[in-house]
Amino acid sequence: MHVLLPDLPDFRALADEGVPGATFGFYTREHVPDGPADGAVLWFAPPQVRAQLAARPGLSWLLTLTAGIDHVQGQLPPGVALFNASRLHDRAVAVHAVSLMLSASRRLHAYRDAQHARTWAAPTPVTRLPDSGLTTLDGRQVVLWGYGHIGRELDGLLRPFGADVHTIRSATPREERDRLLALADWVILLLPSTPDTQHIVNADTLALLKPGAWLCNVGRGTLIDQDALLAALDGGHLGGAALDVTDPEPLPGDHPLWTRENVILTPHIASSTGDLLHRGARLTRDFILDLDQGHEPPGRVDPSRTY
Ligand code: GLV
């Protein structure tokens, strides 16, 4: 089988090492080799490269080394099997979500701001402690909105911190969903971006949250109506927001979210680790070996899924 890979060192190494049953071509951000291919592995490719890969004659599968599939939805010819790679990312994204929650619970964002101002911002005298905002996750009601690979990983990480974890899934009835949102100290968004999830967090949803609740988004920026979020932050209803994803990305330099004291922003790096490329190449190798041995590799997704 002929497979197109990203022209990155770890994938070149894969080809040098050899994978039984496979030959390789390499694409860059500027160039996609001509000719047929059986499969393509997608990573960090701009839209025109993705379109060219999807249009290779003979293509029967496409593996995107991401958890999300929104960047390929609607672009695949019928009959091309789509696979994602949630297992490459679930641990890091779950760890990042916990990191954001712990940072907010210990108010590290505020102490970092105070550090830059060379201010000793201790809640003294002790009578100020009740207003300090300092908490742990013990007894906190945490609602995971979306419960796939990342949700299950996050669930396991949160329980030893004493959090009470609840889940909202696609089958959760609206009434139950709203009941859970109303009891949450934390709502963690883990949903994909689809037409059904666009602005699923809007003024109405935010109004359901109890005062002081925090929102964390490690899914996709389009899940949140950011104007409504800003209104909820500025009105003092929300405790704060911890966002790894925004809409658009990068967030424009003059966007108000940058300057809100109770907003923690990271630049869509929740799934990044130093060894991500290496792990992506190893996953690709296992994937091709599965195909070569006649097994369906893990990660098959329905490109028309909406939630
Ligand atoms: C990252 O956002 C991914 O979908 O893997």
Side-chain angles (χ1 to χ4, degrees), residues 66-68 89 220 268 271:
T66 51
H89 306 289
R220 284 290 183 267
H268 202 147
S271 71

Side-chain angles (χ1 to χ4, degrees), residues 1-35:
M1 99 189 77
H2 189 63
V3 180
L4 296 176
L5 298 177
D7 197 356
L8 296 165
D10 293 275
F11 292 90
R12 285 275 177 186
L14 194 66
D16 292 346
E17 166 192 333
V19 182
T23 58
F24 297 106
F26 293 90
Y27 67 87
T28 65
R29 295 177 69 83
E30 288 80 35
H31 176 71
V32 176
D34 287 332

Side-chain angles (χ1 to χ4, degrees), residues 41-290:
V41 177
L42 202 58
W43 219 2
F44 297 117
Q48 72 278 12
V49 169
R50 295 202 295 264
Q52 285 182 56
L53 289 170
R56 282 310 80 202
L59 197 75
S60 64
W61 56 264
L62 188 130
L63 166 64
T64 177
L65 289 174
T66 51
I69 58 165
D70 39 306
H71 54 301
V72 283
Q73 271 179 321
Q75 292 187 22
L76 284 185
V80 177
L82 176 65
F83 295 83
N84 75 350
S86 294
R87 61 200 179 285
L88 199 57
H89 306 289
D90 44 13
R91 179 82 182 164
V93 176
V95 167
H96 196 74
V98 174
S99 307
L100 291 170
M101 296 171 74
L102 290 174
S103 298
S105 302
R106 304 310 303 157
R107 298 194 51 74
L108 298 189
H109 53 297
Y111 290 113
R112 180 65 186 217
D113 291 347
Q115 177 185 333
H116 284 160
R118 296 171 185 262
T119 300
W120 190 259
T124 46
V126 286
T127 49
R128 288 187 54 210
L129 269 174
D131 300 324
S132 68
L134 292 166
T135 63
T136 66
L137 295 180
D138 284 301
R140 299 269 110 183
Q141 305 298 319
V142 178
V143 173
L144 307 183
W145 197 344
Y147 198 68
H149 294 82
I150 296 168
R152 286 190 285 277
E153 187 75 29
L154 182 53
D155 193 345
L157 289 177
L158 283 171
R159 287 181 193 267
F161 281 104
D164 279 341
V165 181
H166 312 267
T167 59
I168 299 175
R169 310 172 195 215
S170 47
T172 304
R174 180 67 178 256
E175 211 171 81
E176 171 67 359
R177 183 194 94 170
D178 290 355
R179 187 187 72 79
L180 289 173
L181 290 174
L183 65 75
D185 294 301
W186 277 94
V187 176
I188 318 296
L189 299 176
L190 301 167
L191 294 167
S193 173
T194 73
D196 286 354
T197 62
Q198 168 97 12
H199 289 188
I200 202 163
V201 175
N202 50 41
D204 292 341
T205 340
L206 290 164
L208 291 172
L209 302 185
K210 68 184 184 199
W214 272 72
L215 183 66
C216 171
N217 191 1
V218 290
R220 284 290 183 267
T222 54
L223 302 175
I224 299 181
D225 173 345
Q226 280 176 184
D227 291 339
L229 173 62
L230 275 165
L233 288 166
D234 292 347
H237 180 64
L238 274 194
L243 311 171
D244 183 57
V245 285
T246 59
D247 183 23
E249 290 177 8
L251 195 65
D254 60 353
H255 198 283
L257 278 175
W258 285 115
T259 53
R260 294 301 185 267
E261 185 271 339
N262 52 349
V263 171
I264 304 175
L265 285 173
T266 53
H268 202 147
I269 46 77
S271 71
S272 299
T273 61
D275 63 353
L276 184 58
L277 285 175
H278 178 70
R279 290 189 293 115
R282 299 323 291 174
L283 184 147
T284 300
R285 183 173 197 278
D286 293 344
F287 182 94
I288 293 170
L289 287 176
D290 272 345

